[in-house]
Amino acid sequence: MRIRPQQEDVAKFASNLTGGTVERIVPDDEQWVADQLTAGVPEETARLMLTWYHAARAGHFADAGPLLADLLGREPRTVADRLAAGLTA
């Protein structure tokens, strides 16, 4: 069984790899939309993107099916492996 990391775990992995502090900051939905508007994203697009985060929170993207490995031609990498590879690249 593969354990899927939570966002807090990703911050810990990144902190350990960099020797610095990586903190997870979660704005509420309306603050997130406001931040996107400030960055120049149209409101309709920001609200559409927000629905993806709602789906993720509900667990709709939690599992990678076997098709992903077939498409990649390899097993998917873990978050920790991907972060470590990014530091050495």
Side-chain angles (χ1 to χ4, degrees):
M1 171 167 70
R2 190 156 61 173
I3 298 172
R4 291 182 249 7
Q6 299 298 316
Q7 296 300 330
E8 292 84 6
D9 295 332
V10 174
K12 288 178 190 173
F13 292 148
S15 294
N16 290 337
L17 287 169
T18 64
T21 300
V22 176
E23 181 182 359
R24 178 180 184 227
I25 299 172
V26 182
D28 66 37
D29 290 353
E30 290 307 311
Q31 182 61 56
W32 188 88
V33 170
D35 291 345
Q36 297 306 301
L37 295 176
T38 299
V41 175
E43 183 170 0
E44 299 82 17
T45 303
R47 294 206 177 273
L48 173 65
M49 291 167 41
L50 183 61
T51 64
W52 302 339
Y53 291 105
H54 291 165
R57 284 185 214 145
H60 293 292
F61 307 128
D63 293 319
L67 179 59
L68 182 58
D70 291 343
L71 291 171
L72 294 172
R74 60 169 173 75
E75 285 299 311
R77 296 182 189 130
T78 66
V79 171
D81 290 342
R82 189 65 196 111
L83 287 173
L87 287 176
T88 60

